[in-house]
């Protein structure tokens, strides 16, 4: 029973008919082209029975002229015939065959062909193509666009790997987003991916922080997020250490600051005057200024500063004491392990809270210290020393000074005949130092050891790292190759440029960064203000819990899109106003258009529930020729069918010979979604196609409504799948 004569008439148009079999492969674009090639070949071989080198169809660059095209010039060149004439005759022959086949039970995928010069242009059977593609999208659901092309290949992606004595800042966050998104798209094309965080829990800055942490942790409960607390502690300790290096008594400086501005100014004047030279005087002035800034920054900072100051002021040599504590940790002294691991895990727990905002998780946390504890460093050092390119450390080199052990890469590159110059390695390649003159290992050595460990767990290892580290990463890859030639091309780094702010400045020495947590708070505040205004204008009132959930998702999505929407090699100028613009290329813009589709589908379902319209009929009973708007065809061809191609291009570029680097397209999904929703936003609505019936019944509705609802389901699925690859949860309401 139907509620209107219009629907009764529509029901009479439903026809049971045979169709092309469903797509069986995950890559439906490839399968579609293959079927078209097979259809054409079955006809062409009647005319060219001996042909074994038929050209393949390709996507047309202009959908207004053709959907697919075949280039016959190479084929004709071998046979010494005119390609334009050959193609014109072939088109006439094929068109006749297609017209005869049109009466057969199963429709062809090809509707029409035409010869244009050496090209055979192919027009697809739109109704059958729509049916096949939409059916495949709705069947595969959240796996649509995914492929198994790289099945069986294991990849380790090391990302984030921030210092475990400080919170994440905006630069770290770009690393996080690139690594997590690259992991998602590589999984989507079939790779088995593991995400690793390298915890560099050794080194001078970790020892400095641990020295303060062990003295202060039991005396004060953190008054801020724990990673912020530990990061502030490091900034304080680093300042104290640097002041000692230029001869400043930090106890006397602190007492002068407590005595008032005049006393502090006099102390500064005397200290600058007592500096050994102009350079030292500048450092004295700078670090005393930083000392006072850290001391007076906020009540929480002041409280922590005064506690650390009180515990550390009598330590005569901070750098030496921190180094001794570091050594005790490397030597696995129980108390040192307790101190370092407590501090590092506390900081990592704070970092993980930040990562949780963006839905990022790692599969493994690999501690630098454990490379030594498990014996990997010692075993590896024995192997390294046997390399003909290893130059051992000495107390007196040719210049009469101590020199650490290093790899002679200039000789190695020359012997291996690796390319040098513009597209190769530097001709006089700088050495990779791995040991100090006393024989102790440098972090560069441990980087090589860790890289071998990752290589043992994977077919390919990728390190996400700032472009400032390009040369260092290249050296590590060369060391791997020098020690085991089979590892050439097994590790690459994905290099990204800096993030600059449109307002404010960052300073490592002053402990001033644009922290990821602070930036999220700023973004969310802007989103809350904008969305509250929109809801007020619409007269809507959301439950506080739902409003908070939506604004959180939009704020987090804004950050993700902003850091992924440009190529890794491009510097980002972070502008909150642009990032949160609902009308420009941004996450809010994409999410808004995604929720418009959701709203449309929900309105249709509500009308069905109210029995104003009939339920959605079975897909195979639909007449998809009713999708007669060219924008609909463009959306299908350029976006739905092209989705898997975008993922392939982004996630599995060619792996070049080193020192070349693969061009991973971590910005491609953002570009794809931005262009897709722009096309979609002009498709339906007041200025486009009306899908649901208007109240006066003059537009929308009718038989085409049902096929368009199916199309909207497919389009929404593609957008949602793309959003999830960006770690963005699609919203039902916005």
């Amino acid at each position: 029973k139907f509620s209107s004569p219009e629907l009764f008439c529509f029901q009479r148009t439903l026809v049971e008919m045979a169709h092309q079999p469903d797509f069986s492969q995950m890559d439906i674009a490839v399968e579609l082209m293959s079927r078209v090639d097979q259809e054409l070949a079955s006809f062409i071989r009647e005319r060219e029975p001996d042909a074994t080198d038929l050209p393949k169809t390709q996507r047309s660059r202009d959908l207004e002229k053709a959907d697919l095209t075949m280039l016959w010039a190479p084929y004709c060149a071998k046979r010494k015939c005119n390609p334009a004439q050959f193609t014109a005759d072939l088109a006439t022959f094929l068109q006749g065959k297609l017209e005869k086949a049109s009466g057969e039970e199963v429709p062809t995928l090809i509707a029409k062909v035409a010869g244009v010069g050496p090209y055979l242009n192919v027009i697809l059977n739109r109704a059958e193509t729509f049916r096949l593609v939409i059916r495949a999208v709705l069947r595969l659901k959240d796996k649509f666009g995914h492929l198994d092309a790289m099945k069986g290949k294991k990849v380790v992606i090391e990302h984030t790997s921030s210092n475990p004595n400080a919170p994440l800042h905006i630069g770290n966050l770009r690393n996080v987003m690139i690594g997590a998104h690259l992991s998602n798209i590589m999984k989507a094309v079939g790779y088995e991916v593991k995400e690793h965080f390298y915890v560099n829990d050794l080194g001078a800055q970790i020892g400095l922080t641990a020295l303060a942490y062990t003295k202060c942790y039991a005396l004060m409960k953190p008054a801020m997020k724990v990673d912020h607390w530990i990061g502030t502690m490091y900034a304080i300790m680093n300042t104290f250490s640097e002041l000692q290096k230029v001869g400043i008594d930090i106890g006397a400086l602190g007492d002068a600051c407590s005595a008032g501005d005049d006393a502090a100014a006099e102390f500064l004047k005397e200290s600058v005057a007592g500096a050994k030279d102009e350079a030292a005087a500048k450092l004295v002035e700078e670090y005393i200024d930083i000392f006072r800034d850290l001391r007076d920054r906020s009540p929480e900072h002041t409280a922590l500063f005064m506690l650390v100051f009180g515990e550390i002021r009598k330590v005569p040599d901070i750098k030496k004491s921190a180094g001794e504590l570091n050594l005790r940790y490397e030597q696995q002294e129980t108390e040192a392990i307790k101190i370092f691991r407590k501090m590092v895990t506390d900081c990592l727990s704070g970092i993980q809270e930040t990562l949780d905002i963006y839905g990022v998780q790692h599969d493994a946390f690999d501690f630098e210290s454990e490379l030594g504890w498990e014996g990997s460093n010692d075993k590896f050092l024995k192997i390294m020393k046997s390399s003909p390119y290893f130059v051992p450390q000495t107390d007196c080199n040719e210049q009469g000074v101590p020199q650490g052990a290093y790899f002679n890469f200039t000789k190695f590159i020359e012997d291996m005949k690796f390319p040098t110059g513009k597209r190769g390695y530097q001709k006089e390649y700088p050495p990779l130092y791995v040991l100090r003159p006393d024989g102790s290992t440098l972090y560069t050595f441990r980087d090589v050891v860790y890289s071998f460990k990752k290589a043992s767990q994977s077919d390919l290892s990728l390190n996400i790292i700032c472009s400032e580290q390009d040369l260092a990463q290249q050296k590590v890859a060369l060391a791997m190759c020098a020690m085991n030639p089979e590892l050439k091309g097994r590790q690459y780094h994905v290099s990204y440029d800096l993030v600059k702010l449109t307002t404010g400045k960052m300073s490592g020495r002053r402990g001033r960064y644009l922290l990821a947590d602070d930036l999220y708070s700023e973004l969310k505040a802007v989103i809350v203000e904008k969305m509250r205004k929109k809801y007020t204008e619409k007269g809507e009132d959301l439950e506080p819990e739902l409003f908070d959930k939506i604004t959180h998702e939009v704020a987090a999505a804004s950050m993700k899109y902003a850091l992924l929407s440009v190529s890794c090699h491009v510097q980002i100028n972070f502008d909150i106003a642009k990032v949160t613009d609902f009308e420009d290329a941004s996450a809010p813009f994409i999410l808004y258009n995604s929720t418009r589709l959701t709203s449309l589908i929900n309105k249709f379902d509500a009308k069905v529930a109210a029995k104003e319209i009939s339920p959605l009929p079975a897909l195979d009973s639909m007449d998809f020729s009713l999708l007669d708007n060219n924008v609909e065809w463009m959306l299908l061809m350029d976006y739905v069918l092209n989705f898997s191609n975008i993922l392939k291009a982004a996630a599995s570029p060619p792996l070049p010979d080193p020192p070349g680097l693969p061009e991973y397209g971590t910005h491609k999904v953002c570009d794809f979604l931005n262009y897709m929703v722009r096309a979609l936003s002009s498709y339906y609505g007041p200025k486009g196609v009306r899908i649901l019936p208007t109240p006066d019944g003059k537009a929308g509705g009718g038989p085409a409504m049902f096929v368009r609802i199916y199309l909207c389901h497919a389009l929404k699925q593609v957008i949602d799948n793309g959003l999830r690859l960006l770690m963005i949860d699609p919203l039902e309401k916005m």
Side-chain angles (χ1 to χ4, degrees):
K1 294 181 180 180
F2 300 102
S3 59
S4 73
E6 177 189 74
L7 292 174
F8 176 72
C9 292
F10 168 63
Q11 180 67 9
R12 292 177 61 191
T13 68
L14 299 183
V15 179
E16 291 296 328
M17 61 176 291
H19 291 291
Q20 287 263 340
D22 288 346
F23 290 131
S24 59
Q25 300 176 21
M26 294 185 74
D27 193 339
I28 66 169
V30 168
E31 187 169 357
L32 173 66
M33 302 277 275
S34 176
R35 287 194 189 183
V36 171
D37 284 336
Q38 290 171 19
E39 280 188 11
L40 287 170
S42 67
F43 294 134
I44 293 171
R45 287 205 173 96
E46 292 183 31
R47 190 171 182 269
E48 303 280 325
D50 299 326
T52 58
D53 56 344
L54 297 179
K56 300 292 185 183
T57 51
Q58 298 176 332
R59 277 290 309 273
S60 168
R61 294 180 181 179
D62 187 351
L63 288 178
E64 292 184 3
K65 294 178 180 177
D67 300 318
L68 307 173
T69 188
M70 298 177 84
L71 176 61
W72 285 89
Y75 181 91
C76 292
K78 292 180 182 179
R79 291 155 179 81
K80 294 182 171 54
C81 61
N82 184 300
Q85 187 60 53
F86 177 89
T87 306
D89 294 342
L90 179 62
T92 301
F93 169 78
L94 289 173
Q95 192 58 41
K97 289 291 182 180
L98 290 170
E99 288 171 3
K100 286 183 181 179
S102 63
E104 295 180 6
E105 184 178 355
V106 178
T108 60
L109 276 171
I110 305 167
K112 189 168 70 172
V113 295
V116 180
Y119 291 94
L120 180 74
N121 284 350
V122 178
I123 306 297
L124 293 175
N125 177 339
R126 289 192 175 187
E128 194 63 9
T129 304
F130 268 122
R131 189 195 70 80
L132 283 169
V133 174
I134 291 173
R135 188 174 179 85
V137 175
L138 301 185
R139 174 174 56 84
L140 292 169
K141 296 181 179 177
D142 60 353
K143 293 299 180 184
F144 177 74
H146 293 209
L147 308 168
D148 55 8
M150 297 298 170
K151 188 176 181 180
K153 298 282 187 181
K154 294 182 178 180
V155 178
V156 168
I157 298 179
E158 182 208 325
H159 69 84
T160 310
S161 299
S162 59
N163 291 328
N165 67 333
L168 297 178
H169 57 69
I170 182 64
N172 299 137
L173 209 53
R174 188 174 193 188
N175 185 309
V176 172
M177 297 309 166
I178 291 171
H181 175 58
L182 182 57
S183 174
N184 282 349
I185 59 176
M186 291 188 82
K187 288 175 184 176
V189 299
Y191 287 105
E192 181 183 328
V193 183
K194 297 295 182 184
E195 298 174 66
H196 286 226
F197 187 126
Y198 184 44
V199 183
N200 54 334
D201 57 335
L202 298 176
Q205 61 182 4
I206 307 300
L208 273 177
T209 317
L211 181 62
Y213 184 87
T214 186
K215 293 178 178 294
C216 300
Y217 181 78
L219 303 177
M220 174 184 282
K221 184 178 180 180
M224 57 186 89
K225 191 163 168 274
V226 67
D227 51 332
H228 294 210
W229 192 69
I230 292 171
T232 302
M233 194 178 289
Y234 166 67
I236 294 168
M237 286 297 291
N238 183 62
T239 301
F240 290 175
S241 179
E242 292 298 325
L243 283 166
Q244 282 190 345
K245 286 180 187 178
V246 291
I248 300 299
D249 181 340
I250 61 170
L253 171 59
D255 292 342
C257 291
S258 296
D261 290 343
D262 291 342
E266 184 61 28
F267 185 93
L268 173 61
K269 182 179 178 181
E270 292 176 0
S271 299
V272 169
K276 63 180 181 179
D277 54 36
E278 186 177 347
K282 286 183 178 179
L283 287 174
V284 167
E285 190 171 5
E286 179 180 11
Y287 276 105
I288 288 179
D289 184 48
I290 294 172
F291 181 98
R292 299 186 68 185
D293 177 39
L294 288 168
R295 182 179 182 274
D296 302 327
R297 189 170 295 178
S298 72
E300 295 83 6
H301 283 82
T302 298
L304 178 58
F305 183 96
M306 296 309 295
L307 176 63
V308 175
F309 173 74
E311 295 297 316
I312 298 296
R313 64 178 295 169
K314 294 181 180 179
V315 176
D317 190 333
I318 293 172
K319 181 181 178 181
K320 181 181 177 182
S321 296
E324 290 170 349
L325 186 57
N326 247 336
L327 184 60
R328 288 169 52 202
Y329 181 54
E330 286 190 55
Q331 294 174 344
Q332 300 183 68
E333 289 189 16
T334 303
E335 285 305 311
I337 290 174
K338 287 181 180 178
I339 294 166
F340 275 73
R341 282 301 168 97
K342 180 68 170 69
M343 181 192 78
V344 168
T345 53
D346 277 354
C347 192
L348 289 175
S349 69
I351 290 171
Q352 188 58 55
E353 284 182 40
T354 304
L355 296 177
D356 287 343
I357 292 173
Y358 304 101
V360 175
Q361 298 280 334
H362 291 81
D363 297 295
F365 286 80
D366 301 323
F367 285 76
E368 182 181 2
S369 56
E370 293 180 5
L371 295 173
W373 299 352
E374 68 191 18
S376 295
N377 287 349
D378 292 338
K379 293 175 185 176
F380 197 80
L381 186 56
K382 289 180 182 178
I383 299 171
M384 182 179 280
K385 287 181 176 179
S386 68
S387 169
Y389 305 103
F390 178 80
V391 179
Q393 69 274 16
T394 177
D395 290 330
C396 184
N397 64 10
E398 293 178 358
Q399 285 74 41
V401 295
Q403 180 174 277
Y406 64 91
F407 265 108
N408 184 345
F409 282 145
T410 299
K411 184 73 168 63
F412 174 63
I413 291 168
E414 181 182 326
D415 289 350
M416 298 301 292
K417 295 181 170 57
F418 286 160
T420 58
K422 188 175 181 181
R423 298 195 177 184
Y425 296 100
Q426 297 179 37
K427 288 186 178 181
E428 293 299 323
Y429 202 90
L432 172 67
Y433 283 92
V434 291
L435 302 178
R436 297 184 183 91
D438 63 4
S440 59
T441 62
L442 292 164
Y443 76 91
T444 49
F445 169 82
R446 296 188 290 272
D447 283 348
V448 177
V449 177
Y450 181 51
S451 295
F452 266 83
K453 187 171 184 177
K454 288 185 290 182
S456 71
Q457 302 169 355
S458 64
D459 301 301
L460 176 66
S461 178
L462 299 173
N463 298 338
I464 315 301
I465 199 151
C466 184
S467 56
E468 295 171 338
Q469 297 295 318
D470 281 348
L471 180 60
Q473 287 291 307
Q474 193 181 94
K475 286 181 178 181
V476 170
L478 266 175
M480 293 174 69
C481 182
M483 296 181 65
N484 183 351
E486 292 182 5
L487 294 182
K488 179 184 177 183
R490 285 277 299 278
Q491 175 166 295
Y492 294 94
H493 66 281
V494 179
S495 174
Y496 63 90
D497 210 327
L498 300 173
V499 181
K500 292 290 182 72
L501 308 175
T502 56
T503 57
K505 292 183 178 180
M506 294 195 291
S507 169
R509 286 182 174 180
R510 292 179 177 273
R512 286 192 180 275
Y513 297 97
L514 180 54
L515 299 182
D517 294 324
D518 295 340
L519 185 55
Y520 167 76
S521 297
E522 286 186 49
L523 276 174
K524 188 173 180 184
V526 173
I527 293 294
V528 165
E529 182 181 354
K530 288 189 175 187
M531 294 190 70
R532 181 169 285 131
K533 182 179 179 182
K534 285 182 179 289
Y535 281 122
T536 301
E537 289 172 353
K538 291 183 176 182
E540 295 185 35
D541 186 22
L542 258 63
E543 292 290 329
E545 186 176 339
L546 177 58
F547 182 73
D548 183 67
K549 179 179 184 300
I550 292 173
T551 51
H552 158 69
E553 293 292 349
V554 176
S558 298
M559 178 73 82
K560 294 168 187 174
Y561 185 92
L563 296 177
L564 289 170
S565 59
V566 298
S567 167
C568 294
H569 306 304
V570 176
Q571 179 178 293
I572 292 177
N573 294 308
F574 199 91
D575 183 343
I576 288 183
K578 185 174 181 180
V579 166
T580 57
D581 192 339
F582 281 63
E583 307 298 329
D584 199 1
S586 64
F589 176 71
I590 293 169
L591 284 168
Y592 171 69
N593 281 282
S594 170
T595 56
R596 282 183 67 205
L597 276 177
T598 303
S599 176
L600 174 68
I601 293 167
N602 288 343
K603 287 176 182 177
F604 172 83
D605 291 340
K607 288 181 179 295
V608 171
K611 297 185 179 180
E612 296 176 23
I613 54 178
S614 66
L616 202 58
L619 187 144
D620 281 342
S621 69
M622 305 300 299
D623 180 7
F624 280 96
S625 67
L626 295 171
L627 292 174
D628 55 2
N629 187 291
N630 282 334
V631 177
E632 293 165 334
W633 183 244
M634 180 271 291
L635 286 166
L636 188 88
M637 294 293 289
D638 285 351
Y639 298 104
V640 181
L641 270 172
N642 204 31
F643 186 41
S644 58
N645 291 330
I646 294 295
L647 298 186
K648 275 189 289 188
S652 54
L655 298 178
D657 284 336
L661 296 174
E663 294 290 337
Y664 288 98
T666 52
H667 62 293
K668 289 183 180 293
V669 173
C670 287
D671 281 351
F672 173 85
L673 290 176
N674 180 44
Y675 287 121
M676 182 177 179
V677 299
R678 284 186 183 281
L680 180 64
S681 65
S682 63
Y683 161 56
Y684 71 93
K687 296 182 180 180
V689 173
R690 295 293 307 202
I691 297 177
L692 299 179
T694 55
D696 59 10
K698 292 182 178 180
M705 172 181 64
F706 295 96
V707 287
R708 287 187 167 127
I709 289 295
Y710 269 116
L711 176 62
C712 288
H713 274 288
L715 295 173
K716 182 179 186 302
Q717 188 69 66
V718 173
I719 295 171
D720 288 355
N721 289 1
L723 287 170
R724 291 188 182 99
L725 291 172
L726 295 170
M727 300 88 71
I728 297 174
D729 290 330
L731 297 174
E732 292 297 306
K733 185 179 180 63
M734 183 168 169

